Amino acid sequence: MTVASALEMALAAVVLGVATWTIAARETFAAVVGFVTYGLLLALIWVRLDAVDVALVEAAIGGGLGGVLLLGAAARLRVTETPTATERPSATVRVGAALLSAAVAAALATGVILLPDPAPTLAPAAAANATATGLGNPVTNVLMAFRAMDTMLEKVVLLLALVGVWSLAPDRLWGGHPGPRHRADPLGTLAFLARLLPPVGIVVGIYVFWTGKDHPGGAFQGGTILAAMWLLVMMAGIADAPQVSSRRLRIVLIAGPGIFLAVGLAGFAIGSAFLAYPVAYAKPLILGIEVAMTLTIAATLGLLLAGAPERSAGQ
Amino acid sequence: MPYPASVPGDVTTTGGFLLVLSVVIPVAGVLLAFVLGGRQAERVVLATMPLGLVIALAILVTLRQAGAPLIYLLGGWAPPLGVALRADGLSAVMMAITAVVIGAVGVFARVDFRTPRGSIEARAPFAFWILLLAIWGALNMVFLGGDLFTLYVALELLTFSAVPLVCLDGRAETLQAALRYLLFALLGAVLYLVGTALLYGSYGTLDIVLLSRRVHAEPATVVAAALMTAGLLAKTALFPLHLWLPPAHAGAPAAASAVLSGLVVKGSFFIVIRLWFDVFADLPSFVLAQLLAALGAAAILFGSVVALRQERLKLLVAYSTLAQIGYLFLMFPLAFDAGSTRLASGGALAGGLLQAISHAAAKAAMFMSAGLIYAALGHDRIVGLGGVGRALPVSVFAFALGGVALVGVPPSGAYLAKELLLQAASATEQWWWAVVIQAGGIFTSSYVLLVLAHALAPADASITLRAPVGRIQEASAAALALCSLLLGLAPWQAYLPAPDGIAPSTPALEALSASLWPLLGGAAVAILLGRKGDRLPRIPLGQVVAATVGPARRAALALSRPIERIDNMLRQWPAAGLSLLALAVLLGAALLAASR
Amino acid sequence: MIEFMTTVLGFILAMLALGLVRILRGPADADRMMAAQLIGTGGIAALLLLGTVTAVPATVDVALTLALLATFASIAFVKKGRANAPDSTGDA
Amino acid sequence: MSNPSDALGRLMAHALARAVALLILWLVLAGSDLADLPAGIVAVLAATVTSLRLLPVGPSRLSPVLLGPLALRFLYQSVAAGIDVAWRALDPRLPLRPGFVVYSVCFPLGSARNAFAALTSLLPGTVPAGDEGSRLVYHCLDVDQPVVSQLAAEEAALRHAIRHD
Amino acid sequence: MSVAVDIITIVAITAGAFFFLAGTVGLLRFPDTLTRLHALTKADNLGLGLVVLGLVPQAGSLRGGLKLLCVWALALLAGAMVSQLIAREASGQRGDPAMRHDGPPP
Amino acid sequence: MSAAIVFGLCGAAVAGLGLYGLIADPRPLRKIVAFNLLGSGVFMVFGVVARRGAASGFGGDPVPQALVITGVVVAFSATALAVALLLRLFQVTGSATLNTEAPAGTGTDPADA
């Protein structure tokens, strides 16, 4: 056994341990903390699997925004812990669930182990067609060119999730501000951090987006960082979440899929196909779409975490 | 096989652009409606509807002229690297019925989801119109997507647009129903996703046509098939994975219920068809087909009996959906071709799909009428429906028409579907499924008749309507019901595979009289099992019948009680979760055993 | 050098695993948060080492993202930790 | 302060200083390839504008000349702090005398004070754990250490580096 | 030259690992929340700093080295802020501090 | 054992844990967390598939990697929607249960709660 494979096993063991704790912990809050650390460690696995783009996503979502979302919910729902925990299913059910889950996991593991060797891959095809876009990052090529439809629909999924979250508002507060008004000492520590960090975060976020054309990174990763910065400013009470009725906000929220769609349709009209880019303009077009998508992702993620409208204007 | 074995190269065909438009136009509408908001959102959606209908029709026409599937390569990238959209006859007819139902629901919903005067924008209309359009776009993508991962994204799009519709009125029960729906649907989606991972790892593509050529029975493929199927069944709410369906479909606003029950569950059902008639066609599917149909039969039994025992009309209609979903799965064993040991596209498939289409229109009409009755009375207790027939004749008529179409009275689509399924049953010598098919018809007529008996009975006192009923709403419900009733007359041969032709074999009059038997049987079942008010509805000879059927009814009720109890148990979360996993394991074991 | 770094990486991983004990034991939520913070810092170090070992320079960007965002869970913790108090808007 | 053009000049100077710092950050991250520069300029502009909105130009600023020694000083302190806590943690006797110390700061509430708190959180054995009016409450690992005089020395060093215009 | 650089790397990274050890041991051994906080912030940041210091010569370019230092600086800033936030949270939960030593006014 | 197998087994095990939690824990928030675990286990399997497909100078097949990124975005949206639903349910009823037998809560007028 080499040092490297020992390391992999250790990493897998630690990750599995945290995952077990996340399921087994008695208190939800403790479980969620476990999940946050799980997200941090998962980034390591993705690097080890040579998928740095995914590692960036995992670091930004699993370790960052996902933690904020779940920790916040755990804190708010703490009073429901004891009553709901009493609905724990009987031992028979739990044993049955454990056995069946184990069976499914075992089947999955068998399937993975018995995957054919050499593995089929589209890496050569992706490499051969990379010239069509002029981008050096194969993952970006897949997301923005070869499977552009998935990426566009995924942005619509984000938008619909936001519509779903907003639709949970009470009727009379429609059009108001999402989430509670955060108040914090404007001269306190959190506010200080929220004044210092965002400029740095903006540079890093734009860098992560920009470098995604040739190196690991991209619109989603960069947008998540920007969203986190916005959220920090909101949580520190320095800026309020915008009203959901704001037209400007809504334009930002659809800019990504909108421009994607427009470019796609332009390819329809003048180019060869829907979502096809003329080779000469492929790179600037893709980057243009990604700029809009970064903004849209940042705004959407920030608002998804802020929640449903809870205050009417000015409250 | 719906797709021909040899795709003429991987090239965009003439008219392929229509496929893009049918997805892009609803999506663009969603974006535009989101930005404009308020009344403009409604206008955008309503303007999109005729456009979508025209495109759906254009696809039907082009497909017929071309005589081969329409293909569009997105971005010009051919699979496996790229993603293709493909429309065969199945996709085209599903898209057409979707356009029709969405259009009718849109007209219907204008009254309920109008932005109130004096406000620029209101919550429920804003969400409803956007989500309605999103459901449409997602469904079109499901019908056209040629790539399993694109289908995953489309399915999630469908779930995300359907869930908020459930709790649009914000009541606690509907919020709970929405959360249950969302979580169970997500569980199903993840199981589907893991299957795609294994398939990609095995074959290096997720394109349906390419996979259908490459797939063979290997352990990883079997695991993938079992997990994907189980996951999709959870999203389709096939018994016993139906815990989320009754509260979600009964609790949603009428217009939303119509879409959810009529269309949304068909999305995942359609992918099950794609999987087993194309992707996994080479896997040994005999046991699987029998198992799916057995679950379908159980769904018919449970759904119908529990429907009969409901106090509220919308819940009855929701449970009827459960039974009808079961009916859809009866086609699988009938499509099994013993010679090639695979599911063959033929009369059974055509029948199953036709049933899905008829149910889409009929069930949407029934939910719309139920919603109108609820709105007018302020309640929808079945025993309190007396006099509604007089007060709301068109609504009750629409309900009756939808019900009759569902039972399978000629010339309804359901009648044709039943004919095709029965033909397939006799051709494959599986008489037991013919029995189940007939029983399904009887059960369907039982709950339809139960409702009609109550609704047509005279009122105890003169009923006062809380609100006047919109003429246009009644008209759109009736139009949909009529559409379902006349579906049997449509030229299906061009789109659905049926070796012996699709026209019914028996003369019309004979068929009509034959279809009376289920109605009579249904009446008997309804009398035996239906919920009664303080007094019996005055059916002809009421007292005499009551005296004679008393003991029989007591016996039937004694039989129905365990069914209700089991249903209640299965609708608890852990039981449903266990059923899902057990089903996955069972499917996997059956496939593995057969492929040895 | 690669072996050495891999060994150190394993050692840091072991430290992180030990830190998990604090998540298990608590007792206060703050203790658990701190353990998560420890795993954040240790995870950054591990990532940097891993990036050097596997010669994937872009790993530094992952570490950068973690360093920027790993604090967010703790911020959410101090923000929402008081959400149950009558003044649910909290103050930190 | 009274002269508007003076104020504008100060604003510009601050903005420029911040922009330069952020540009250096960009160059470190993305490299100096000319093709990347447009994106860098956009990033730096956006970040500078945000920075000016979040942290308006105040009456004081850090002197770049004195910042170096300050940084070195705190670097040294944080190494000392790490060694201190490592020693305590690994000593079998666990030599701790934890407790709170209240320290009166002369920095007003705001950035300077926050910077002071942040820097002192890296000192050996102290973590700011609360405010009491003009005083900071520190939690200490060992209250027998000369915590207060140490804090006073740090405060003097920081005040030296912050120049009030 | 390269040997000297490698020695620097080995020494610095080993020292960094040592401080991670110390931080973890402190987190486990120290008696209460606030003392554990010290172990966490001080030892870990130093550990990370030393690991970064060890990796800088291996980075291959000035920019790579500076980028590593950026990571450390960010972690340091975040650690300093978060330790204060958690300390305030923890001491707030415990009510009045039990033991106080007032310093003289400056 | 290669990295692919180690992490493949790890992913399968994590998915199993997620399945168990999703079924057996009565608390909705825990179900949401378990769903996330389940999802990340599945993504890990995707990652293994990608890693096995390393070719043409790429450390992994970029197509499954891109699919994972899309999947993570979808899973995160789902989590956000589920959490929002759950919080709203709690706001309206004062409890957070999926158990239909439980009392439906205080039942304040939801549209104005």
Side-chain angles (χ1 to χ4, degrees), chain A residues 268-295:
Chain A
F268 212 10
I270 56 168
S272 51
F274 179 69
L275 288 172
Y277 313 99
V279 174
Y281 303 104
K283 193 168 174 177
L285 279 176
I286 290 179
L287 286 176
I289 296 172
E290 284 210 295
V291 167
M293 285 211 313
T294 309
L295 285 175

Side-chain angles (χ1 to χ4, degrees), chain B residues 350-364:
Chain B
L353 212 70
L354 208 49
Q355 179 69 27
I357 290 168
S358 318
H359 177 248
K363 186 50 62 71

Side-chain angles (χ1 to χ4, degrees), chain B residues 85-476:
Chain B
L85 300 181
R86 296 195 188 91
D88 54 7
L90 310 188
S91 332
V93 294
M94 288 306 284
M95 285 172 64
I97 193 69
T98 303
V100 169
V101 172
I102 295 260
V105 168
V107 172
F108 177 88
R110 284 197 68 187
V111 181
D112 295 341
F113 292 101
R114 176 173 291 154
T115 307
R117 256 173 228 292
S119 68
I120 302 163
E121 184 176 279
R123 178 189 64 90
F126 174 78
F128 175 82
W129 291 112
I130 290 176
L131 296 172
L132 181 66
L133 208 50
I135 283 184
W136 193 5
L139 278 171
N140 281 350
M141 195 67 215
V142 165
F143 299 141
L144 296 175
D147 181 282
L148 292 181
F149 188 81
T150 307
L151 289 180
Y152 164 76
V153 179
L155 269 181
E156 291 299 63
L157 202 57
L158 195 57
T159 304
F160 282 39
S161 5
V163 167
L165 281 180
V166 169
C167 57
L168 218 46
D169 66 0
R171 280 177 299 129
E173 309 93 87
T174 61
L175 285 166
Q176 201 188 41
L179 191 56
R180 279 161 77 107
Y181 178 16
L182 177 62
L183 286 175
F184 208 66
L186 289 176
L187 175 55
V190 172
L191 292 185
Y192 174 86
L193 188 64
V194 76
T196 64
L198 290 176
L199 286 182
Y200 187 91
S202 299
Y203 306 108
T205 182
L206 290 174
D207 184 74
I208 291 177
V209 171
L210 288 176
L211 276 176
S212 72
R213 294 176 189 162
R214 296 183 188 176
V215 161
H216 44 270
E218 278 177 11
T221 312
V222 165
V223 173
L227 292 175
M228 291 172 95
T229 310
L232 289 172
L233 295 184
K235 282 201 161 205
T236 317
L238 177 63
F239 176 90
L241 311 176
H242 62 285
L243 85 160
W244 57 268
L245 188 142
H249 287 191
S257 302
V259 176
L260 294 174
S261 227
L263 297 175
V264 171
V265 286
K266 308 289 169 18
S268 38
F269 170 71
F270 190 82
I271 299 182
V272 176
I273 292 183
R274 277 276 184 260
L275 284 186
W276 284 100
F277 283 83
D278 287 307
V279 176
F280 298 131
D282 279 341
L283 294 191
S285 48
F286 176 76
V287 182
L288 170 112
Q290 298 289 334
L291 184 64
L292 287 183
L295 291 178
I300 292 174
L301 177 67
F302 275 73
S304 307
V305 170
V306 181
L308 283 167
R309 303 296 305 155
Q310 291 306 312
E311 288 174 22
R312 290 184 42 225
L313 180 57
K314 287 190 79 177
L315 267 168
L316 179 144
V317 184
Y319 268 101
S320 137
T321 299
L322 181 58
Q324 295 296 327
I325 289 171
Y327 206 97
L328 298 181
F329 283 87
L330 295 182
M331 72 168 191
F332 282 91
L334 305 180
F336 186 79
D337 176 29
S340 60
T341 67
R342 54 194 287 167
L343 294 180
S345 127
L349 175 60
L353 212 70
L354 208 49
Q355 179 69 27
I357 290 168
S358 318
H359 177 248
K363 186 50 62 71
M366 287 166 85
F367 258 120
M368 282 149 79
S369 332
L372 289 173
I373 292 170
Y374 183 102
L377 293 185
H379 73 83
D380 66 344
R381 288 188 305 277
I382 296 166
V383 292
L385 288 182
V388 173
R390 184 154 301 188
L392 301 169
V394 183
S395 298
V396 174
F397 177 68
F399 189 92
L401 221 52
V404 166
L406 212 53
V407 171
V409 173
S412 71
Y415 163 71
L416 201 54
K418 199 155 121 186
E419 279 286 307
L420 287 165
L421 289 174
L422 287 173
Q423 278 172 22
S426 73
T428 55
E429 293 172 352
Q430 302 185 71
W431 56 268
W432 54 95
W433 294 127
V435 172
V436 175
I437 290 166
Q438 296 290 12
I442 292 177
F443 273 125
T444 308
S445 49
S446 70
Y447 48 74
V448 171
L449 287 175
L450 178 75
V451 173
L452 291 181
H454 281 285
L456 297 176
D460 304 342
S462 69
I463 48 173
T464 46
L465 298 188
R466 287 217 312 195
V469 172
R471 291 273 166 270
I472 297 177
Q473 288 186 294
E474 288 193 311
S476 56

Side-chain angles (χ1 to χ4, degrees), chain A residues 66-163:
Chain A
V68 176
L69 185 65
L70 292 171
L71 280 171
R76 273 203 193 187
L77 294 172
R78 184 161 291 181
V79 288
T80 67
E81 279 278 285
T82 333
T84 325
T86 55
E87 296 166 14
R88 195 158 176 239
S90 65
T92 333
V93 171
R94 277 181 284 133
V95 170
L99 287 178
L100 284 171
S101 309
V104 171
L108 189 54
T110 320
V112 172
I113 289 173
L114 294 180
L115 284 178
D117 216 10
T121 174
L122 288 176
N129 289 301
T131 44
T133 59
L135 302 184
N137 180 354
V139 178
T140 306
N141 273 334
V142 175
L143 284 172
M144 299 303 296
F146 311 141
R147 302 189 66 102
M149 193 66 167
D150 292 355
T151 312
M152 196 195 73
L153 288 180
E154 161 223 301
K155 296 300 172 292
V156 182
V157 167
L158 267 177
L159 183 71
L160 285 180
L162 188 63
V163 171

